[in-house]
Amino acid sequence: MERVGENNLVFHPTKAIDMAITHNLGFPRIGAKRELKFALESYWKGESTLEGLKAVGAELRARHWQDQEGIDLVPVGDFAFYDQMLDMSFTLGNLPERVRGLEGDVLDNYFRVARGRSAAVADADAQCGGVAAGEMTKWFDTNYHYIVPEFTAETEFRLDASRLLEQLAEAKAQGIQTKSVLVGPVTYLALGKTKDGSDRLALLDRLLPVYRELLTTLAAQGAEWVQIDEPILVTELDEPWRHAFEVAYHELKSAPVKLLLATYFGTLQDQCYLAANLPVAGLHIDAIRGRDDIVPLLNLLPSNKILSLGVINGRNIWKTDLNAVLDWLEPIQQQLGERLWIAPSCSLLHVPVDLTSERKLDGEVRSWLAFAKQKLEELRVLASALNQGREAVRSELDANRAACEARRRSPRVNNPEVKAAIARIDARLGQRQGPYAERAAKQAERLGLPRFPTTTIGSFPQTSGIRQARRQLKAGEIDQAAYTEIMRTEIARCVREQEALGLDVFVHGEPERNDMVEYFGEQLDGYAFSQFGWVQSYGSRCVKPPILFGDISRPKAMTVDWITYAQSLTDKPMKGMLTGPVTILNWSFVRDDQSRAVSCRQLALAIREEVLDLERAGVRVIQIDEAALREGLPLRRSQWGEYLDWAVECFRITANGVADETQIHTHMCYSEFNDIIASIADMDADVITIETSRSDMELLDAFDDFNYPNEIGPGVYDIHSPNIPTVAHMVELMRKAAERIPAERLWVNPDCGLKTRHWNEVIPALTNMVVAAKTLRATL
Ligand code: GLN
Ligand code: ZN
């Protein structure tokens, strides 16, 4: 690429003026076959060498650049062994105090900071080489988790550009036209946390010289374009943070590179002016979610700036309607000429790598999909159409039109009965018959539970026997009848153990469920499953979200046989166990042809039928898990209300068709309720079980302050830890709970399901829990 004069304009040497340039913001690094995952885990287990791991990293980078061939500017520096934010912390020399001075390879130190689980479990089992793991949290509204940068008032930064320079050199050697990728300084600070209560924004002055040095260093190695990610710009920023953008980019303006400021995941709204006028060479925006920004931006953007439009959705797995995008883009190209760049909306980190690996996916559904490699192909087609006219890619455009049309018209997507049922939804559907107080009295009489009733959250250990049976069933080594028999034996074991423990409300243990969403998705019409559709969740962990492609319906009951079998083995109430519609939605790839709210209502109606079937089968207690309700909150607080309205409505539709005597439980495994407590109360579940053990019951303050009216089971036992909780500790926690919530509305239960634990941990822990409940009954 050449530099053109003083006016900050650039063009590709092989392209004439007026041609749209294509680029990519980031490529999935885990590998089409999850090579990085397996290499990491083997290294962590001591089964392979650091050199071996580094070689896999280099191989993946080389392959992925190859995969992006034909894109004008390919991202470099988007590869990370664990997390791109942690890479940035290392680049900036911002390592937590506790790993400084440690000996050994930098990458080993990096893993010391990285390893551990989510933020929620950081203190439990995140010990690695005696160093506490860094806290982890969700990257905006994706299911990717980053390691939170840690700051104190004393934090100093020092450049270590080695990783970026090495990757840049590799790419150049491969003949790649590069664009280096960094997390921008304001987003880096905004997503971090200070450990001493100091103001992290005060660190900006110390941070900027290091960024400038980094840009200068990259330029010296031949980097011309640098993509600097500032997605924080799509969230609500107060004045000091907006000002930080001005300060930062005026400071960086003198660096000898061209900066492409990248925002994604949302709209700039009133930050359009700010984003348009920062002194950078180009601005990238998410033209899927942020389309409303385009008109104002076209007016605001200074005439020397590149505008990069993210027109291919980097957050879903659907084919783009290329003709529709062209209809929209061509007039913009007329206006912008060579200042128009096109790209995916965000990094492709959030989609699987390659659709061609899929051998078992239903052919019809498959023809509607595009994974990362296919999305880049779409981008190439768009660029050809823009640069040479649509005729140049007529056959690709026609094939794409045919696929999009087929999807729109498919009876697999459109089910008139479901649409009619959605149209019939009215408020009564979500309304319990009686108010909580009346229901509670009827349920108490029917269930005859003691004070401080004990229960568990649903799953019991998923033993190797269970996993083996599932493998054998899949491989055709055992038939369905044999599998069912093995699962029934497991259920019987769970019931026996619960009898022996003396618990009050039983569960069947969920042995038959591989995953709380996939299990239901597999039984609902409108869902498809990929074989290799893995997306990185954190570190080496990946998830394979089910694909919600059509109107949702439930051909037959999904859980009733298992639960009635379990109930037949005991007189104690057996909980029916379901995953709620909001959680199923939030953990799936969802449709782009209807709103999330509509898809969620369809799920709600389907799960509601299951609830009613369970009730008809005599099940007295039904739990509907909404583990991911909070996760779906939009990035901007101004949109929270709308989301919560339909999410709560969907839960109510699912749960509230039952008689007063039927007790509805819900479960949420997180510990932040302050800002959504009114919505939680609105769900009107008779009992909610939540995660509290690590917050010392303080989170119950939110329930207390709100005068939360129904029953609560605050988790007293941290299931993420192998430690056996003591009776005294659990009694103490429940006493604290009773200071906030009247004792007659408290349940005693663990924080979450027990599937990841071993029986030899679960039995002593629950034994202590039951003793704790008895102690409470005797003393409170
Ligand atoms: N019922 C589920 C279980 O016990 C709930 C899991 C969850 O909340 N994540 O496994
Ligand atoms: Zn949970």
Side-chain angles (χ1 to χ4, degrees):
M1 191 163 293
E2 275 170 5
R3 220 164 275 210
V4 187
E6 301 302 320
N7 61 352
N8 252 350
L9 283 184
V10 211
F11 64 90
H12 198 281
T14 60
K15 287 193 166 181
I17 275 204
D18 269 22
M19 287 214 166
I21 283 188
T22 55
H23 71 107
N24 185 22
L25 283 78
F27 195 82
R29 51 210 178 214
I30 204 75
K33 296 276 170 340
R34 286 183 294 164
E35 292 88 337
L36 183 58
K37 171 194 177 69
F38 299 118
L40 284 168
E41 290 173 0
S42 142
Y43 175 65
W44 292 336
K45 275 190 239 151
E47 289 165 2
S48 56
T49 62
L50 196 58
E51 284 62 45
L53 176 62
K54 288 181 178 172
V56 172
E59 245 173 74
L60 285 170
R61 289 193 292 272
R63 190 206 299 164
H64 294 160
W65 287 324
Q66 197 74 52
D67 285 343
Q68 300 176 74
E69 218 199 306
I71 300 298
D72 296 324
L73 286 173
V74 171
V76 173
D78 54 336
F79 178 88
F81 273 107
Y82 201 95
D83 164 45
Q84 73 264 15
M85 276 297 265
L86 186 60
D87 276 24
M88 207 60 220
S89 290
F90 272 70
T91 301
L92 298 169
N94 178 32
L95 312 195
E97 197 64 51
R98 59 188 187 280
V99 296
R100 289 190 198 181
L102 282 176
E103 308 276 304
D105 194 280
V106 185
L107 197 53
D108 283 323
N109 257 349
Y110 171 90
F111 291 137
R112 282 196 180 95
V113 186
R115 300 268 323 268
R117 300 190 42 199
S118 65
V121 294
D123 50 349
D125 53 357
Q127 299 290 319
C128 177
V131 177
E135 189 181 320
M136 215 181 267
T137 197
K138 277 166 71 75
W139 177 246
F140 296 85
D141 62 349
T142 72
N143 197 18
Y144 178 79
H145 299 72
Y146 68 93
I147 308 261
V148 178
E150 297 176 28
F151 307 118
T152 66
E154 269 72 57
T155 298
E156 302 276 351
F157 302 96
R158 209 182 58 219
L159 181 64
D160 175 359
S162 54
R163 179 189 62 93
L164 286 163
L165 292 179
E166 194 186 325
Q167 294 182 21
L168 192 58
E170 282 173 12
K172 296 228 153 197
Q174 213 178 306
I176 301 294
Q177 296 270 15
T178 67
K179 178 189 55 175
S180 292
V181 178
L182 308 174
V183 178
V186 187
T187 295
Y188 180 75
L189 283 180
L191 297 187
K193 275 191 185 166
T194 52
K195 294 284 161 179
D196 56 359
S198 59
D199 173 16
R200 59 202 192 286
L201 204 42
L203 299 171
L204 188 65
D205 287 346
R206 257 178 259 168
L207 182 59
L208 292 175
V210 180
Y211 265 91
R212 193 160 52 166
E213 193 188 341
L214 171 58
L215 296 176
T216 308
T217 309
L218 289 170
Q221 292 300 307
E224 181 177 7
W225 276 99
V226 174
Q227 169 190 323
I228 195 152
D229 287 5
E230 291 285 12
I232 201 77
L233 267 169
V234 305
T235 66
E236 283 134 346
L237 296 175
D238 51 24
E239 197 37 49
W241 285 96
R242 291 170 183 239
H243 183 62
F245 271 99
E246 304 276 3
V247 172
Y249 288 91
H250 278 94
E251 173 74 24
L252 299 181
K253 148 174 98 170
S254 57
V257 287
K258 299 199 165 87
L259 291 180
L260 178 73
L261 186 87
T263 71
Y264 37 81
F265 301 149
T267 50
L268 292 163
Q269 295 181 17
D270 55 345
Q271 276 139 213
C272 272
Y273 184 85
L274 172 67
N277 288 295
L278 290 171
V280 290
L283 174 66
H284 170 85
I285 66 158
D286 181 333
I288 306 289
R289 295 195 180 176
R291 224 180 233 209
D292 294 349
D293 290 340
I294 312 277
V295 172
L297 273 178
L298 286 173
N299 291 323
L300 288 168
L301 206 70
S303 61
N304 61 342
K305 269 197 198 175
I306 301 293
L307 180 61
S308 162
L309 297 181
V311 290
I312 307 277
N313 197 331
R315 295 290 299 276
N316 75 16
I317 40 58
W318 302 109
K319 272 192 177 145
T320 307
D321 185 340
L322 297 176
N323 294 283
V325 170
L326 286 171
D327 290 344
W328 178 75
L329 261 184
E330 282 164 351
I332 297 178
Q333 188 194 23
Q334 294 279 310
Q335 193 175 338
L336 289 176
E338 81 277 18
R339 291 164 52 215
L340 172 68
W341 288 17
I342 55 171
S345 59
C346 59
S347 167
L348 296 174
L349 181 66
H350 312 289
V351 295
V353 181
D354 189 2
L355 187 64
T356 57
S357 321
E358 297 296 328
R359 302 255 168 266
K360 296 193 178 153
L361 200 61
D362 169 305
E364 193 181 358
V365 175
R366 191 177 189 278
S367 71
W368 305 332
L369 303 180
F371 292 177
K373 282 178 72 172
Q374 290 71 40
K375 283 174 185 282
L376 292 178
E377 183 54 40
E378 293 183 335
L379 191 64
R380 286 186 281 262
V381 173
L382 283 178
S384 302
L386 289 175
N387 294 339
Q388 296 147 38
R390 294 197 198 193
E391 283 317 310
V393 277
R394 177 52 55 205
S395 64
E396 288 89 340
L397 290 178
D398 287 348
N400 173 269
R401 186 194 306 276
C404 294
E405 287 274 298
R407 180 178 160 215
R408 259 193 295 275
R409 283 196 317 260
S410 169
R412 308 265 310 277
V413 173
N414 305 292
N415 181 336
E417 276 172 46
V418 175
K419 292 200 161 54
I422 296 296
R424 279 197 305 272
I425 289 178
D426 71 27
R428 265 171 319 181
L429 221 48
Q431 191 61 51
R432 290 291 294 257
Q433 292 164 2
Y436 167 75
E438 277 172 30
R439 287 165 4 221
K442 293 182 191 170
Q443 291 162 19
E445 193 179 318
R446 184 180 190 206
L447 296 171
L449 298 172
R451 294 169 66 236
F452 295 103
T454 53
T455 192
T456 61
I457 305 305
S459 54
F460 271 107
Q462 287 264 331
T463 61
S464 51
I466 296 174
R467 284 197 296 268
Q468 189 192 342
R470 198 149 27 246
R471 264 199 309 274
Q472 288 176 320
L473 177 70
K474 260 199 175 151
E477 292 164 23
I478 57 173
D479 62 9
Q480 191 65 46
Y483 176 75
T484 302
E485 213 31 59
I486 298 170
M487 294 302 122
R488 284 186 165 219
T489 310
E490 283 296 332
I491 290 172
R493 175 190 190 175
C494 291
V495 173
R496 239 181 7 255
E497 297 290 4
Q498 292 172 89
E499 293 282 7
L501 286 161
L503 289 159
D504 299 306
V505 173
F506 284 18
V507 296
H508 77 296
E510 304 179 27
E512 79 288 8
R513 303 187 187 176
N514 40 352
D515 173 278
M516 63 188 284
V517 171
E518 196 166 302
Y519 179 75
F520 291 95
E522 278 171 351
Q523 300 188 74
L524 293 168
D525 280 353
Y527 259 106
F529 296 83
S530 67
Q531 257 176 300
F532 302 104
W534 297 101
V535 177
Q536 192 174 12
S537 171
Y538 63 86
S540 67
R541 272 285 287 262
C542 301
V543 294
K544 188 153 67 68
I547 300 167
L548 193 168
F549 70 85
D551 289 339
I552 294 293
S553 62
R554 186 197 69 144
K556 59 180 195 324
M558 303 181 282
T559 64
V560 175
D561 287 348
W562 299 116
I563 304 298
T564 46
Y565 171 69
Q567 182 67 83
S568 75
L569 303 173
T570 179
D571 295 331
K572 294 283 180 70
M574 177 63 60
K575 278 197 272 193
M577 190 60 60
L578 303 170
T579 303
V582 188
T583 297
I584 296 183
L585 182 89
N586 285 343
W587 284 348
S588 301
F589 278 122
V590 296
R591 294 170 64 167
D592 59 351
D593 57 346
Q594 71 185 15
S595 70
R596 295 172 77 81
V598 170
S599 294
C600 200
R601 286 189 190 103
Q602 296 185 353
L603 287 162
L605 287 179
I607 311 287
R608 174 187 171 94
E609 286 176 44
E610 187 72 16
V611 169
L612 296 177
D613 274 349
L614 284 167
E615 183 181 53
R616 268 192 290 276
V619 178
R620 291 165 281 175
V621 183
I622 300 170
Q623 178 173 315
I624 303 161
D625 290 328
E626 283 294 16
L629 187 128
R630 194 172 209 293
E631 272 186 45
L633 285 171
L635 288 175
R636 287 181 180 261
R637 267 183 185 260
S638 57
Q639 289 157 6
W640 281 22
E642 191 213 334
Y643 164 77
L644 288 167
D645 280 352
W646 61 254
V648 170
E649 175 202 306
C650 287
F651 181 86
R652 291 174 59 112
I653 289 171
T654 307
N656 289 354
V658 296
D660 285 352
E661 288 75 12
T662 301
Q663 189 170 69
I664 295 288
H665 289 216
T666 190
H667 166 71
M668 293 180 190
C669 37
Y670 40 81
S671 42
E672 266 176 84
F673 288 96
N674 273 311
D675 37 17
I676 57 168
I677 186 70
S679 301
I680 301 293
D682 219 19
M683 289 164 66
D684 201 21
D686 297 302
V687 182
I688 180 170
T689 56
I690 53 178
E691 177 181 309
T692 30
S693 71
R694 274 177 310 232
S695 75
D696 213 24
M697 296 292 153
E698 272 168 26
L699 86 90
L700 284 181
D701 288 344
F703 290 80
D704 185 13
D705 295 344
F706 189 79
N707 283 322
Y708 182 82
N710 304 5
E711 288 159 58
I712 309 179
V716 289
Y717 150 25
D718 173 11
I719 60 94
H720 299 100
S721 161
N723 299 338
I724 310 301
T726 63
V727 174
H729 181 62
M730 289 187 275
V731 169
E732 176 59 20
L733 284 177
M734 287 304 296
R735 283 186 187 281
K736 287 186 179 158
E739 286 165 15
R740 295 163 167 102
I741 309 291
E744 59 278 9
R745 284 199 269 121
L746 284 172
W747 287 60
V748 181
N749 50 260
D751 266 345
C752 192
L754 300 165
K755 62 169 163 263
T756 56
R757 300 263 62 93
H758 297 288
W759 276 107
N760 63 11
E761 296 158 348
V762 164
I763 298 292
L766 291 179
T767 302
N768 288 354
M769 193 185 86
V770 171
V771 175
K774 288 185 174 150
T775 311
L776 291 163
R777 285 168 203 156
T779 56
L780 256 183

